[in-house]
Amino acid sequence: APPGHTQDGGQDTSFRWQCVDQPIGKLLFRRFLEGVPQFAAAGALWSEIEAFEQCEDAEREELAKKLRSRFFTPGGSEHCGFLSAGATATPTG
């Protein structure tokens, strides 16, 4: 089946398709996150992760430290306490 469609020909209604893959859906969902105080940190984290994915390899370690401090550490300026321990664990290896 082509991307964005289910096997029966209907539209894919997954979160990824609607809010990540579709530009207008992504824009609207990001604006929603930014406009709701309890979700603002999640919106900021999403933006920072996208910036991290685009940065030069030489900058990644320092940027990763800043992300962990800001979003993953209790008391961080935009701590995302809803994330699981596995999601916020420092990678090994």
Side-chain angles (χ1 to χ4, degrees), residues 30-76:
R30 295 276 289 270
R31 285 190 177 167
F32 164 74
L33 291 175
E34 292 164 1
V36 179
Q38 66 262 37
F39 301 145
L45 175 59
W46 189 348
S47 294
E48 292 298 324
I49 287 174
E50 286 188 335
F52 176 82
E53 290 174 346
Q54 301 298 318
C55 77
E56 298 292 328
D57 288 345
E59 301 170 343
R60 285 188 171 227
E61 187 174 345
E62 186 61 32
L63 189 52
K65 286 180 187 176
K66 289 179 181 178
L67 284 170
R68 279 194 294 276
S69 173
R70 180 176 168 190
F71 297 106
F72 302 161
T73 306

mmCIF file of all heavy atoms in Angstrom, residues 30-76:
data_model
loop_
_atom_site.group_PDB
_atom_site.id
_atom_site.type_symbol
_atom_site.label_atom_id
_atom_site.label_comp_id
_atom_site.label_asym_id
_atom_site.label_seq_id
_atom_site.Cartn_x
_atom_site.Cartn_y
_atom_site.Cartn_z
ATOM 1 N N ARG A 30 1.751 21.548 16.383
ATOM 2 C CA ARG A 30 2.786 22.308 17.092
ATOM 3 C C ARG A 30 2.206 23.588 17.690
ATOM 4 O O ARG A 30 2.526 23.964 18.818
ATOM 5 C CB ARG A 30 3.936 22.637 16.148
ATOM 6 C CG ARG A 30 4.696 21.432 15.649
ATOM 7 C CD ARG A 30 5.774 20.937 16.580
ATOM 8 N NE ARG A 30 6.897 21.782 16.664
ATOM 9 C CZ ARG A 30 7.968 21.693 15.881
ATOM 10 N NH1 ARG A 30 8.062 20.754 14.986
ATOM 11 N NH2 ARG A 30 8.956 22.526 16.039
ATOM 12 N N ARG A 31 1.341 24.265 16.939
ATOM 13 C CA ARG A 31 0.705 25.482 17.467
ATOM 14 C C ARG A 31 -0.175 25.157 18.665
ATOM 15 O O ARG A 31 -0.234 25.922 19.627
ATOM 16 C CB ARG A 31 -0.098 26.183 16.379
ATOM 17 C CG ARG A 31 0.801 26.888 15.401
ATOM 18 C CD ARG A 31 0.027 27.768 14.475
ATOM 19 N NE ARG A 31 0.940 28.494 13.596
ATOM 20 C CZ ARG A 31 0.566 29.143 12.534
ATOM 21 N NH1 ARG A 31 -0.713 29.188 12.194
ATOM 22 N NH2 ARG A 31 1.440 29.770 11.784
ATOM 23 N N PHE A 32 -0.862 24.024 18.612
ATOM 24 C CA PHE A 32 -1.668 23.584 19.746
ATOM 25 C C PHE A 32 -0.783 23.379 20.974
ATOM 26 O O PHE A 32 -1.093 23.871 22.063
ATOM 27 C CB PHE A 32 -2.402 22.288 19.393
ATOM 28 C CG PHE A 32 -2.953 21.564 20.596
ATOM 29 C CD1 PHE A 32 -4.072 22.033 21.254
ATOM 30 C CD2 PHE A 32 -2.336 20.421 21.066
ATOM 31 C CE1 PHE A 32 -4.575 21.372 22.371
ATOM 32 C CE2 PHE A 32 -2.833 19.752 22.174
ATOM 33 C CZ PHE A 32 -3.958 20.229 22.834
ATOM 34 N N LEU A 33 0.327 22.654 20.819
ATOM 35 C CA LEU A 33 1.232 22.411 21.945
ATOM 36 C C LEU A 33 1.739 23.721 22.537
ATOM 37 O O LEU A 33 1.773 23.888 23.756
ATOM 38 C CB LEU A 33 2.424 21.550 21.518
ATOM 39 C CG LEU A 33 2.141 20.100 21.157
ATOM 40 C CD1 LEU A 33 3.408 19.428 20.640
ATOM 41 C CD2 LEU A 33 1.565 19.332 22.335
ATOM 42 N N GLU A 34 2.139 24.642 21.672
ATOM 43 C CA GLU A 34 2.681 25.921 22.134
ATOM 44 C C GLU A 34 1.630 26.769 22.842
ATOM 45 O O GLU A 34 1.965 27.593 23.683
ATOM 46 C CB GLU A 34 3.261 26.692 20.949
ATOM 47 C CG GLU A 34 4.501 26.018 20.372
ATOM 48 C CD GLU A 34 4.878 26.525 18.984
ATOM 49 O OE1 GLU A 34 4.181 27.431 18.451
ATOM 50 O OE2 GLU A 34 5.858 25.993 18.426
ATOM 51 N N GLY A 35 0.345 26.576 22.486
ATOM 52 C CA GLY A 35 -0.714 27.407 23.043
ATOM 53 C C GLY A 35 -1.313 26.905 24.338
ATOM 54 O O GLY A 35 -2.118 27.598 24.952
ATOM 55 N N VAL A 36 -0.939 25.710 24.766
ATOM 56 C CA VAL A 36 -1.478 25.142 26.001
ATOM 57 C C VAL A 36 -0.336 25.059 27.008
ATOM 58 O O VAL A 36 0.628 24.322 26.786
ATOM 59 C CB VAL A 36 -2.093 23.741 25.744
ATOM 60 C CG1 VAL A 36 -2.640 23.144 27.028
ATOM 61 C CG2 VAL A 36 -3.183 23.823 24.687
ATOM 62 N N PRO A 37 -0.419 25.823 28.111
ATOM 63 C CA PRO A 37 0.728 25.895 29.027
ATOM 64 C C PRO A 37 1.305 24.548 29.447
ATOM 65 O O PRO A 37 2.526 24.386 29.459
ATOM 66 C CB PRO A 37 0.175 26.670 30.226
ATOM 67 C CG PRO A 37 -0.895 27.542 29.637
ATOM 68 C CD PRO A 37 -1.507 26.702 28.531
ATOM 69 N N GLN A 38 0.466 23.569 29.762
ATOM 70 C CA GLN A 38 1.012 22.293 30.232
ATOM 71 C C GLN A 38 1.670 21.478 29.118
ATOM 72 O O GLN A 38 2.366 20.507 29.396
ATOM 73 C CB GLN A 38 -0.026 21.456 30.984
ATOM 74 C CG GLN A 38 -1.172 20.960 30.145
ATOM 75 C CD GLN A 38 -2.410 21.840 30.262
ATOM 76 O OE1 GLN A 38 -2.313 23.058 30.356
ATOM 77 N NE2 GLN A 38 -3.580 21.222 30.252
ATOM 78 N N PHE A 39 1.475 21.867 27.855
ATOM 79 C CA PHE A 39 2.090 21.159 26.730
ATOM 80 C C PHE A 39 3.222 21.946 26.081
ATOM 81 O O PHE A 39 3.861 21.460 25.146
ATOM 82 C CB PHE A 39 1.050 20.823 25.665
ATOM 83 C CG PHE A 39 -0.084 19.962 26.147
ATOM 84 C CD1 PHE A 39 -1.354 20.133 25.645
ATOM 85 C CD2 PHE A 39 0.118 18.975 27.101
ATOM 86 C CE1 PHE A 39 -2.412 19.345 26.078
ATOM 87 C CE2 PHE A 39 -0.926 18.178 27.548
ATOM 88 C CZ PHE A 39 -2.197 18.372 27.034
ATOM 89 N N ALA A 40 3.460 23.172 26.540
ATOM 90 C CA ALA A 40 4.463 24.029 25.901
ATOM 91 C C ALA A 40 5.853 23.397 25.925
ATOM 92 O O ALA A 40 6.599 23.485 24.949
ATOM 93 C CB ALA A 40 4.478 25.401 26.563
ATOM 94 N N ALA A 41 6.213 22.745 27.029
ATOM 95 C CA ALA A 41 7.534 22.109 27.114
ATOM 96 C C ALA A 41 7.659 20.989 26.089
ATOM 97 O O ALA A 41 8.717 20.812 25.476
ATOM 98 C CB ALA A 41 7.791 21.575 28.525
ATOM 99 N N ALA A 42 6.578 20.244 25.859
ATOM 100 C CA ALA A 42 6.612 19.176 24.858
ATOM 101 C C ALA A 42 6.833 19.758 23.465
ATOM 102 O O ALA A 42 7.602 19.213 22.670
ATOM 103 C CB ALA A 42 5.318 18.365 24.891
ATOM 104 N N GLY A 43 6.191 20.878 23.169
ATOM 105 C CA GLY A 43 6.384 21.538 21.880
ATOM 106 C C GLY A 43 7.812 22.036 21.721
ATOM 107 O O GLY A 43 8.417 21.907 20.647
ATOM 108 N N ALA A 44 8.358 22.603 22.784
ATOM 109 C CA ALA A 44 9.739 23.082 22.746
ATOM 110 C C ALA A 44 10.709 21.924 22.568
ATOM 111 O O ALA A 44 11.678 22.015 21.804
ATOM 112 C CB ALA A 44 10.063 23.863 24.025
ATOM 113 N N LEU A 45 10.455 20.810 23.256
ATOM 114 C CA LEU A 45 11.314 19.634 23.122
ATOM 115 C C LEU A 45 11.290 19.130 21.685
ATOM 116 O O LEU A 45 12.341 18.816 21.121
ATOM 117 C CB LEU A 45 10.861 18.530 24.082
ATOM 118 C CG LEU A 45 11.596 17.193 23.962
ATOM 119 C CD1 LEU A 45 13.089 17.352 24.203
ATOM 120 C CD2 LEU A 45 10.997 16.174 24.935
ATOM 121 N N TRP A 46 10.131 19.059 21.081
ATOM 122 C CA TRP A 46 10.010 18.608 19.697
ATOM 123 C C TRP A 46 10.867 19.482 18.779
ATOM 124 O O TRP A 46 11.638 18.997 17.948
ATOM 125 C CB TRP A 46 8.556 18.638 19.276
ATOM 126 C CG TRP A 46 8.240 17.994 17.953
ATOM 127 C CD1 TRP A 46 9.134 17.589 16.983
ATOM 128 C CD2 TRP A 46 6.953 17.684 17.444
ATOM 129 N NE1 TRP A 46 8.466 17.056 15.917
ATOM 130 C CE2 TRP A 46 7.125 17.098 16.174
ATOM 131 C CE3 TRP A 46 5.675 17.839 17.945
ATOM 132 C CZ2 TRP A 46 6.052 16.689 15.399
ATOM 133 C CZ3 TRP A 46 4.611 17.417 17.155
ATOM 134 C CH2 TRP A 46 4.793 16.842 15.906
ATOM 135 N N SER A 47 10.761 20.814 18.943
ATOM 136 C CA SER A 47 11.550 21.741 18.120
ATOM 137 C C SER A 47 13.040 21.527 18.321
ATOM 138 O O SER A 47 13.822 21.516 17.358
ATOM 139 C CB SER A 47 11.193 23.192 18.468
ATOM 140 O OG SER A 47 9.869 23.475 18.118
ATOM 141 N N GLU A 48 13.450 21.342 19.570
ATOM 142 C CA GLU A 48 14.872 21.169 19.867
ATOM 143 C C GLU A 48 15.401 19.839 19.342
ATOM 144 O O GLU A 48 16.544 19.754 18.895
ATOM 145 C CB GLU A 48 15.127 21.291 21.371
ATOM 146 C CG GLU A 48 14.907 22.692 21.906
ATOM 147 C CD GLU A 48 15.839 23.725 21.311
ATOM 148 O OE1 GLU A 48 17.014 23.402 21.039
ATOM 149 O OE2 GLU A 48 15.395 24.868 21.093
ATOM 150 N N ILE A 49 14.590 18.797 19.383
ATOM 151 C CA ILE A 49 15.018 17.503 18.835
ATOM 152 C C ILE A 49 15.191 17.613 17.326
ATOM 153 O O ILE A 49 16.161 17.085 16.765
ATOM 154 C CB ILE A 49 14.044 16.384 19.233
ATOM 155 C CG1 ILE A 49 14.228 16.064 20.717
ATOM 156 C CG2 ILE A 49 14.259 15.140 18.376
ATOM 157 C CD1 ILE A 49 13.234 15.080 21.275
ATOM 158 N N GLU A 50 14.296 18.317 16.660
ATOM 159 C CA GLU A 50 14.461 18.507 15.217
ATOM 160 C C GLU A 50 15.724 19.296 14.909
ATOM 161 O O GLU A 50 16.442 18.982 13.967
ATOM 162 C CB GLU A 50 13.233 19.189 14.617
ATOM 163 C CG GLU A 50 12.050 18.256 14.531
ATOM 164 C CD GLU A 50 10.882 18.839 13.758
ATOM 165 O OE1 GLU A 50 10.747 20.079 13.682
ATOM 166 O OE2 GLU A 50 10.099 18.037 13.234
ATOM 167 N N ALA A 51 16.029 20.313 15.712
ATOM 168 C CA ALA A 51 17.266 21.078 15.525
ATOM 169 C C ALA A 51 18.479 20.187 15.772
ATOM 170 O O ALA A 51 19.477 20.255 15.040
ATOM 171 C CB ALA A 51 17.285 22.289 16.461
ATOM 172 N N PHE A 52 18.395 19.332 16.797
ATOM 173 C CA PHE A 52 19.483 18.402 17.105
ATOM 174 C C PHE A 52 19.750 17.479 15.919
ATOM 175 O O PHE A 52 20.895 17.221 15.560
ATOM 176 C CB PHE A 52 19.128 17.592 18.349
ATOM 177 C CG PHE A 52 20.136 16.532 18.704
ATOM 178 C CD1 PHE A 52 21.276 16.851 19.407
ATOM 179 C CD2 PHE A 52 19.936 15.218 18.317
ATOM 180 C CE1 PHE A 52 22.217 15.877 19.725
ATOM 181 C CE2 PHE A 52 20.861 14.231 18.637
ATOM 182 C CZ PHE A 52 22.003 14.563 19.344
ATOM 183 N N GLU A 53 18.686 16.987 15.291
ATOM 184 C CA GLU A 53 18.832 16.077 14.157
ATOM 185 C C GLU A 53 19.507 16.747 12.967
ATOM 186 O O GLU A 53 20.112 16.081 12.141
ATOM 187 C CB GLU A 53 17.469 15.519 13.746
ATOM 188 C CG GLU A 53 16.899 14.556 14.765
ATOM 189 C CD GLU A 53 15.479 14.101 14.454
ATOM 190 O OE1 GLU A 53 14.812 14.714 13.585
ATOM 191 O OE2 GLU A 53 15.033 13.140 15.098
ATOM 192 N N GLN A 54 19.439 18.075 12.884
ATOM 193 C CA GLN A 54 20.017 18.811 11.762
ATOM 194 C C GLN A 54 21.417 19.361 12.052
ATOM 195 O O GLN A 54 22.088 19.823 11.138
ATOM 196 C CB GLN A 54 19.102 19.992 11.379
ATOM 197 C CG GLN A 54 17.706 19.583 10.977
ATOM 198 C CD GLN A 54 17.668 18.709 9.744
ATOM 199 O OE1 GLN A 54 18.372 18.960 8.792
ATOM 200 N NE2 GLN A 54 16.856 17.665 9.768
ATOM 201 N N CYS A 55 21.849 19.327 13.308
ATOM 202 C CA CYS A 55 23.122 19.966 13.661
ATOM 203 C C CYS A 55 24.318 19.135 13.201
ATOM 204 O O CYS A 55 24.203 17.949 12.908
ATOM 205 C CB CYS A 55 23.188 20.263 15.156
ATOM 206 S SG CYS A 55 23.524 18.845 16.207
ATOM 207 N N GLU A 56 25.462 19.780 13.166
ATOM 208 C CA GLU A 56 26.716 19.114 12.792
ATOM 209 C C GLU A 56 27.097 18.097 13.861
ATOM 210 O O GLU A 56 26.825 18.297 15.047
ATOM 211 C CB GLU A 56 27.835 20.150 12.653
ATOM 212 C CG GLU A 56 27.599 21.194 11.578
ATOM 213 C CD GLU A 56 27.643 20.605 10.181
ATOM 214 O OE1 GLU A 56 28.391 19.631 9.966
ATOM 215 O OE2 GLU A 56 26.927 21.117 9.316
ATOM 216 N N ASP A 57 27.754 17.023 13.457
ATOM 217 C CA ASP A 57 28.163 15.975 14.389
ATOM 218 C C ASP A 57 28.998 16.534 15.540
ATOM 219 O O ASP A 57 28.860 16.104 16.677
ATOM 220 C CB ASP A 57 28.947 14.877 13.668
ATOM 221 C CG ASP A 57 28.058 14.021 12.777
ATOM 222 O OD1 ASP A 57 26.816 14.085 12.930
ATOM 223 O OD2 ASP A 57 28.602 13.292 11.935
ATOM 224 N N ALA A 58 29.851 17.500 15.244
ATOM 225 C CA ALA A 58 30.740 18.069 16.266
ATOM 226 C C ALA A 58 29.963 18.788 17.372
ATOM 227 O O ALA A 58 30.460 18.931 18.484
ATOM 228 C CB ALA A 58 31.737 19.032 15.611
ATOM 229 N N GLU A 59 28.750 19.233 17.077
ATOM 230 C CA GLU A 59 27.942 19.981 18.047
ATOM 231 C C GLU A 59 27.015 19.084 18.855
ATOM 232 O O GLU A 59 26.428 19.523 19.844
ATOM 233 C CB GLU A 59 27.091 21.018 17.306
ATOM 234 C CG GLU A 59 27.892 22.011 16.498
ATOM 235 C CD GLU A 59 27.001 22.856 15.592
ATOM 236 O OE1 GLU A 59 25.829 22.480 15.352
ATOM 237 O OE2 GLU A 59 27.473 23.890 15.126
ATOM 238 N N ARG A 60 26.871 17.829 18.446
ATOM 239 C CA ARG A 60 25.837 16.971 19.036
ATOM 240 C C ARG A 60 26.020 16.707 20.525
ATOM 241 O O ARG A 60 25.052 16.727 21.272
ATOM 242 C CB ARG A 60 25.746 15.649 18.277
ATOM 243 C CG ARG A 60 25.061 15.843 16.959
ATOM 244 C CD ARG A 60 24.789 14.547 16.262
ATOM 245 N NE ARG A 60 23.939 14.878 15.120
ATOM 246 C CZ ARG A 60 22.851 14.228 14.804
ATOM 247 N NH1 ARG A 60 22.475 13.183 15.485
ATOM 248 N NH2 ARG A 60 22.134 14.606 13.773
ATOM 249 N N GLU A 61 27.233 16.430 20.965
ATOM 250 C CA GLU A 61 27.422 16.094 22.380
ATOM 251 C C GLU A 61 27.021 17.255 23.283
ATOM 252 O O GLU A 61 26.307 17.074 24.271
ATOM 253 C CB GLU A 61 28.876 15.685 22.640
ATOM 254 C CG GLU A 61 29.073 15.170 24.052
ATOM 255 C CD GLU A 61 30.468 14.615 24.300
ATOM 256 O OE1 GLU A 61 31.212 14.363 23.332
ATOM 257 O OE2 GLU A 61 30.797 14.438 25.482
ATOM 258 N N GLU A 62 27.457 18.461 22.933
ATOM 259 C CA GLU A 62 27.120 19.629 23.748
ATOM 260 C C GLU A 62 25.623 19.915 23.716
ATOM 261 O O GLU A 62 25.007 20.200 24.746
ATOM 262 C CB GLU A 62 27.897 20.854 23.252
ATOM 263 C CG GLU A 62 27.728 22.073 24.132
ATOM 264 C CD GLU A 62 28.212 21.882 25.561
ATOM 265 O OE1 GLU A 62 29.171 21.124 25.790
ATOM 266 O OE2 GLU A 62 27.620 22.510 26.466
ATOM 267 N N LEU A 63 25.020 19.797 22.540
ATOM 268 C CA LEU A 63 23.579 20.036 22.423
ATOM 269 C C LEU A 63 22.793 18.980 23.185
ATOM 270 O O LEU A 63 21.789 19.288 23.838
ATOM 271 C CB LEU A 63 23.166 20.066 20.955
ATOM 272 C CG LEU A 63 21.740 20.524 20.653
ATOM 273 C CD1 LEU A 63 21.423 21.859 21.300
ATOM 274 C CD2 LEU A 63 21.523 20.614 19.152
ATOM 275 N N ALA A 64 23.254 17.730 23.168
ATOM 276 C CA ALA A 64 22.583 16.662 23.915
ATOM 277 C C ALA A 64 22.611 16.956 25.410
ATOM 278 O O ALA A 64 21.614 16.748 26.104
ATOM 279 C CB ALA A 64 23.239 15.319 23.620
ATOM 280 N N LYS A 65 23.729 17.457 25.912
ATOM 281 C CA LYS A 65 23.827 17.818 27.341
ATOM 282 C C LYS A 65 22.817 18.908 27.684
ATOM 283 O O LYS A 65 22.162 18.855 28.727
ATOM 284 C CB LYS A 65 25.243 18.296 27.672
ATOM 285 C CG LYS A 65 26.267 17.200 27.721
ATOM 286 C CD LYS A 65 27.638 17.767 28.046
ATOM 287 C CE LYS A 65 28.713 16.706 27.934
ATOM 288 N NZ LYS A 65 30.058 17.260 28.158
ATOM 289 N N LYS A 66 22.690 19.898 26.817
ATOM 290 C CA LYS A 66 21.738 20.983 27.062
ATOM 291 C C LYS A 66 20.296 20.464 27.046
ATOM 292 O O LYS A 66 19.482 20.871 27.871
ATOM 293 C CB LYS A 66 21.918 22.092 26.023
ATOM 294 C CG LYS A 66 23.198 22.874 26.213
ATOM 295 C CD LYS A 66 23.353 23.945 25.156
ATOM 296 C CE LYS A 66 24.659 24.694 25.345
ATOM 297 N NZ LYS A 66 24.867 25.711 24.313
ATOM 298 N N LEU A 67 20.004 19.574 26.097
ATOM 299 C CA LEU A 67 18.663 18.983 26.038
ATOM 300 C C LEU A 67 18.354 18.212 27.320
ATOM 301 O O LEU A 67 17.260 18.348 27.888
ATOM 302 C CB LEU A 67 18.544 18.051 24.838
ATOM 303 C CG LEU A 67 18.391 18.698 23.462
ATOM 304 C CD1 LEU A 67 18.538 17.661 22.359
ATOM 305 C CD2 LEU A 67 17.063 19.400 23.349
ATOM 306 N N ARG A 68 19.303 17.375 27.762
ATOM 307 C CA ARG A 68 19.077 16.595 28.990
ATOM 308 C C ARG A 68 18.838 17.514 30.180
ATOM 309 O O ARG A 68 17.932 17.290 30.980
ATOM 310 C CB ARG A 68 20.261 15.666 29.260
ATOM 311 C CG ARG A 68 20.210 14.397 28.431
ATOM 312 C CD ARG A 68 21.190 13.350 28.939
ATOM 313 N NE ARG A 68 22.578 13.738 28.780
ATOM 314 C CZ ARG A 68 23.280 13.570 27.658
ATOM 315 N NH1 ARG A 68 22.718 13.024 26.601
ATOM 316 N NH2 ARG A 68 24.529 13.943 27.600
ATOM 317 N N SER A 69 19.645 18.559 30.301
ATOM 318 C CA SER A 69 19.513 19.474 31.426
ATOM 319 C C SER A 69 18.178 20.224 31.394
ATOM 320 O O SER A 69 17.510 20.363 32.414
ATOM 321 C CB SER A 69 20.680 20.468 31.402
ATOM 322 O OG SER A 69 20.507 21.458 32.364
ATOM 323 N N ARG A 70 17.798 20.683 30.228
ATOM 324 C CA ARG A 70 16.591 21.513 30.088
ATOM 325 C C ARG A 70 15.299 20.714 30.189
ATOM 326 O O ARG A 70 14.337 21.143 30.840
ATOM 327 C CB ARG A 70 16.661 22.234 28.747
ATOM 328 C CG ARG A 70 15.498 23.127 28.443
ATOM 329 C CD ARG A 70 15.753 23.857 27.136
ATOM 330 N NE ARG A 70 14.570 24.527 26.647
ATOM 331 C CZ ARG A 70 14.477 25.072 25.444
ATOM 332 N NH1 ARG A 70 15.512 25.040 24.626
ATOM 333 N NH2 ARG A 70 13.367 25.659 25.063
ATOM 334 N N PHE A 71 15.250 19.548 29.547
ATOM 335 C CA PHE A 71 13.992 18.827 29.417
ATOM 336 C C PHE A 71 13.887 17.547 30.238
ATOM 337 O O PHE A 71 12.801 17.111 30.562
ATOM 338 C CB PHE A 71 13.738 18.464 27.944
ATOM 339 C CG PHE A 71 13.577 19.653 27.039
ATOM 340 C CD1 PHE A 71 14.595 20.017 26.170
ATOM 341 C CD2 PHE A 71 12.419 20.416 27.056
ATOM 342 C CE1 PHE A 71 14.451 21.108 25.318
ATOM 343 C CE2 PHE A 71 12.263 21.517 26.213
ATOM 344 C CZ PHE A 71 13.291 21.859 25.351
ATOM 345 N N PHE A 72 15.013 16.887 30.516
ATOM 346 C CA PHE A 72 14.971 15.554 31.117
ATOM 347 C C PHE A 72 15.339 15.533 32.592
ATOM 348 O O PHE A 72 15.192 14.507 33.240
ATOM 349 C CB PHE A 72 15.905 14.592 30.372
ATOM 350 C CG PHE A 72 15.611 14.438 28.897
ATOM 351 C CD1 PHE A 72 16.570 13.935 28.059
ATOM 352 C CD2 PHE A 72 14.385 14.781 28.352
ATOM 353 C CE1 PHE A 72 16.316 13.773 26.696
ATOM 354 C CE2 PHE A 72 14.122 14.625 26.998
ATOM 355 C CZ PHE A 72 15.102 14.121 26.174
ATOM 356 N N THR A 73 15.831 16.627 33.121
ATOM 357 C CA THR A 73 16.290 16.669 34.511
ATOM 358 C C THR A 73 15.245 17.348 35.390
ATOM 359 O O THR A 73 14.840 18.480 35.087
ATOM 360 C CB THR A 73 17.626 17.438 34.605
ATOM 361 O OG1 THR A 73 18.560 16.849 33.703
ATOM 362 C CG2 THR A 73 18.179 17.423 36.018
ATOM 363 N N PRO A 74 14.796 16.681 36.465
ATOM 364 C CA PRO A 74 13.860 17.358 37.376
ATOM 365 C C PRO A 74 14.445 18.692 37.819
ATOM 366 O O PRO A 74 15.613 18.779 38.167
ATOM 367 C CB PRO A 74 13.728 16.377 38.542
ATOM 368 C CG PRO A 74 14.019 15.035 37.922
ATOM 369 C CD PRO A 74 15.078 15.309 36.875
ATOM 370 N N GLY A 75 13.652 19.737 37.731
ATOM 371 C CA GLY A 75 14.132 21.074 38.050
ATOM 372 C C GLY A 75 14.654 21.812 36.838
ATOM 373 O O GLY A 75 14.956 22.996 36.917
ATOM 374 N N GLY A 76 14.764 21.115 35.694
ATOM 375 C CA GLY A 76 15.183 21.780 34.457
ATOM 376 C C GLY A 76 14.154 22.820 34.055
ATOM 377 O O GLY A 76 12.989 22.750 34.450
#
